[in-house]
Amino acid sequence: MPPHPSPSAAAAVPHTVYSDRFIPSRSRSNLALFDLATPAVQSPYCELLSAALFWPATPDRVASSATTCSSSSSSPSSSASPVGVGTPGSGNIFRFKAEAAPRRAKRALFAGGDEEEDPLMPGMFTARGARPRKIPKTPYKILDAPTMQDDFYRNLLDWSSQNVLAVGLGNIVYLWDARRDKVTELCDLGEDDDVCSVGWAQPGAHLAVGTKQGKVQIWDVTRSKRIRTMEGHSMRVGALAWGSSLLSSGSRDKSILHHDIRAQEDYVSKLAAHKSVVCGLKWSCDDRQLASGGNDKRLFVWNLHSVKPVLKNTEHRAAIKAVAWSPHLHGLLASGGGTKDGCIRFWDTTKNIHLSCVDTGSQVCNLIWSKNMNEIVSTHGDSQNQIIVWRYPTMSKIATLTGHTNRVLHLAISPDGQSIATCAGDETLQFWNAFPPLKSERCVSLSVVGETSFVRSYIR
């Protein structure tokens, strides 16, 4: 064993020589000066970030993160739970039926297709692959709609931008205010007339009413006052569509009239190309094209100032009531045929191209595009009486809703694009949660959803 070196020898040992690679030592650094130490109480953001980055997390931490996010994204709200609604003398108009479905604590999936709510961060959405969105199979509200006529050629339901639903029952137009959950009577046409169609102007303050006598009435709903009556049709007006400056009306007399409520004349132009009842009418989202469908199995597209159709399509084999313009793609038009057809067809009106066709196997009564997603809803009559939510362009079924016992003649969508209302010959008005909110509004919607009575409103 070698002898131990003497103190003088140890002192003579040279210092360690480092190479050119500098590795700093922070053993003597005071990290407190840089505020890098872990705080005693973490902020909600730190907890969420930590839970998301350092997976797996402990159950108590997951619960803490979910509670924190839920409490920060929700606000106190109260939902009314009245026993019934109606006005004096209205009988059982819009009376609540039996409870439609149990209240759900939360929806597991909000996004369609490739997005799913993150279980760690409610209200946040992450990609999870193509998974079907869960849509409740039962309506969240059912109201009585007595005297609702089982008539395919009428359009008696429309939802305004101010969240007011207009319904034509017999010779009376009723308004249901979704925010206040209140029903009021707007007008009574009398025993000699009947409501055949209703349509809201975009601002939501004026409602057009098409009558059996061939007249078009304009009502100021804020004052409950009729401000104008326009004539020109010789038979009932079963279809109405508002454009930017025009109100178009389709009639059983085979004609379409353009009304300009700023002009003194009853109508400013007349379109005469259909050979039978005009039962479907819709302006495009940019108000430049008008689509019309008739009992003559023809689908026409008109320009703003044209008196002859610029596009003519005759592929359907039955009446065309269901027409809808896509809000997502310019010039994309959907149309649906009646009992002997049962097909939904898609058209590119910019190129006059027939894009695709889907055979639904039953009468197509209505079509409406989702405002928030690239999806479309169809309602049907003989013999399924169902409501189908489709994903476009694959046209795969997301959900099939069967709550009506008669053909689903009328369809409207809420201004926020989340709910749809359907009315059928079974004299019921049913409300469904069909779509999620817009992506930019998803976190916010969790806090405001309780402020409107029609969303998640399970009332007896």
Side-chain angles (χ1 to χ4, degrees), residues 12-311:
V13 175
H15 294 290
T16 303
V17 178
Y18 293 97
S19 65
D20 59 348
R21 183 184 177 194
F22 176 70
I23 302 178
S25 173
R26 293 192 172 89
S27 58
R28 297 184 179 181
S29 299
N30 187 359
L31 297 181
L33 296 177
F34 301 93
D35 196 22
L36 296 178
T38 303
V41 179
Q42 288 189 344
S43 66
Y45 172 78
C46 293
E47 292 185 9
L48 291 176
L49 185 61
S50 176
L53 294 178
F54 302 106
W55 180 266
T58 58
D60 57 339
R61 188 165 191 175
V62 172
S64 173
S65 299
T67 303
T68 303
C69 184
S70 176
S71 61
S72 62
S73 62
S74 62
S75 63
S77 61
S78 60
S79 58
S81 299
V83 176
V85 289
T87 56
S90 63
N92 62 346
I93 298 296
F94 293 169
R95 184 186 62 194
F96 290 119
K97 304 283 284 187
E99 184 175 18
R103 183 186 295 268
R104 289 173 172 79
K106 65 178 181 179
R107 287 184 293 179
L109 298 179
F110 283 75
D114 59 353
E115 291 184 339
E116 180 180 357
E117 186 183 23
D118 194 326
L120 291 177
M121 294 179 281
M124 305 294 181
F125 297 83
T126 56
R128 298 294 189 195
R131 298 184 180 183
R133 188 175 75 257
K134 293 183 180 179
I135 297 178
K137 298 293 185 179
T138 54
Y140 63 81
K141 182 180 293 186
I142 302 177
L143 305 179
D144 268 336
T147 70
M148 170 59 68
Q149 299 190 27
D150 186 14
D151 190 339
F152 179 79
Y153 299 100
R154 302 190 185 207
N155 293 273
L156 301 174
L157 192 67
D158 199 18
W159 210 326
S160 79
S161 59
Q162 299 300 315
N163 211 0
V164 178
L165 191 70
V167 186
L169 299 179
N171 54 7
I172 302 177
V173 176
Y174 292 94
L175 303 179
W176 178 67
D177 190 330
R179 290 190 178 92
R180 298 183 297 165
D181 207 352
K182 182 180 178 181
V183 175
T184 57
E185 179 182 320
L186 176 65
C187 63
D188 188 336
L189 301 183
E191 297 180 358
D192 299 331
D193 210 345
D194 226 353
V195 180
C196 297
S197 56
V198 294
W200 286 101
Q202 180 56 34
H206 294 90
L207 179 72
V209 179
T211 74
K212 184 179 179 181
Q213 294 182 356
K215 300 178 181 179
V216 177
Q217 299 180 358
I218 307 297
W219 286 79
D220 184 342
V221 297
T222 59
R223 298 182 294 165
S224 298
K225 182 180 179 180
R226 185 180 63 190
I227 60 177
R228 188 164 184 186
T229 299
M230 296 174 289
E231 301 182 356
H233 289 294
S234 59
M235 304 180 77
R236 71 180 189 181
V237 179
L240 293 168
W242 285 90
S244 57
S245 60
L246 297 175
L247 168 63
S248 302
S249 58
S251 172
R252 194 172 184 175
D253 65 9
K254 310 172 189 177
S255 70
I256 300 171
L257 297 182
H258 288 327
H259 311 271
D260 189 337
I261 60 175
R262 302 168 300 180
Q264 204 170 23
E265 299 81 10
D266 284 333
Y267 61 94
V268 294
S269 61
K270 182 177 182 178
L271 311 180
H274 284 283
K275 304 301 181 182
S276 187
V277 182
V278 179
C279 49
L281 212 56
K282 285 289 189 302
W283 279 98
S284 61
C285 299
D286 59 4
D287 296 326
R288 293 184 178 181
Q289 291 184 313
L290 176 70
S292 65
N295 196 39
D296 55 3
K297 311 173 189 177
R298 297 179 180 180
L299 175 69
F300 294 146
V301 176
W302 315 74
N303 282 340
L304 183 60
H305 300 293
S306 65
V307 293
K308 293 184 179 180
V310 294
L311 300 178

Side-chain angles (χ1 to χ4, degrees), residues 228-440:
R228 188 164 184 186
T229 299
M230 296 174 289
E231 301 182 356
H233 289 294
S234 59
M235 304 180 77
R236 71 180 189 181
V237 179
L240 293 168
W242 285 90
S244 57
S245 60
L246 297 175
L247 168 63
S248 302
S249 58
S251 172
R252 194 172 184 175
D253 65 9
K254 310 172 189 177
S255 70
I256 300 171
L257 297 182
H258 288 327
H259 311 271
D260 189 337
I261 60 175
R262 302 168 300 180
Q264 204 170 23
E265 299 81 10
D266 284 333
Y267 61 94
V268 294
S269 61
K270 182 177 182 178
L271 311 180
H274 284 283
K275 304 301 181 182
S276 187
V277 182
V278 179
C279 49
L281 212 56
K282 285 289 189 302
W283 279 98
S284 61
C285 299
D286 59 4
D287 296 326
R288 293 184 178 181
Q289 291 184 313
L290 176 70
S292 65
N295 196 39
D296 55 3
K297 311 173 189 177
R298 297 179 180 180
L299 175 69
F300 294 146
V301 176
W302 315 74
N303 282 340
L304 183 60
H305 300 293
S306 65
V307 293
K308 293 184 179 180
V310 294
L311 300 178
K312 301 178 182 180
N313 301 298
T314 58
E315 279 78 1
H316 284 289
R317 303 186 304 275
I320 304 170
K321 177 192 176 186
V323 288
W325 293 91
S326 170
H328 311 292
L329 186 61
H330 175 68
L332 177 58
L333 175 66
S335 60
T339 305
K340 295 182 180 180
D341 182 79
C343 293
I344 301 175
R345 296 179 181 272
F346 295 91
W347 315 85
D348 181 352
T349 62
T350 62
K351 301 178 181 178
N352 194 17
I353 298 175
H354 180 215
L355 299 174
S356 60
C357 175
V358 176
D359 189 348
T360 67
S362 60
Q363 179 187 46
V364 183
C365 299
N366 297 278
L367 290 170
I368 199 165
W369 289 88
S370 167
K371 301 176 183 180
N372 304 344
M373 313 190 73
N374 198 16
E375 298 173 1
I376 190 169
V377 179
S378 61
T379 69
H380 301 269
D382 305 328
S383 60
Q384 301 298 321
N385 306 323
Q386 77 271 45
I387 305 161
I388 302 178
V389 182
W390 309 81
R391 179 177 289 110
Y392 185 82
T394 62
M395 291 306 287
S396 56
K397 291 184 181 180
I398 299 176
T400 300
L401 312 175
T402 54
H404 288 286
T405 58
N406 206 325
R407 53 184 181 173
V408 188
L409 295 172
H410 311 294
L411 171 67
I413 191 167
S414 62
D416 65 1
Q418 298 183 49
S419 298
I420 58 173
T422 56
C423 205
D426 57 12
E427 298 187 342
T428 63
L429 179 60
Q430 303 187 11
F431 297 83
W432 311 79
N433 281 320
F435 301 109
L438 289 170
K439 293 181 180 180
S440 60

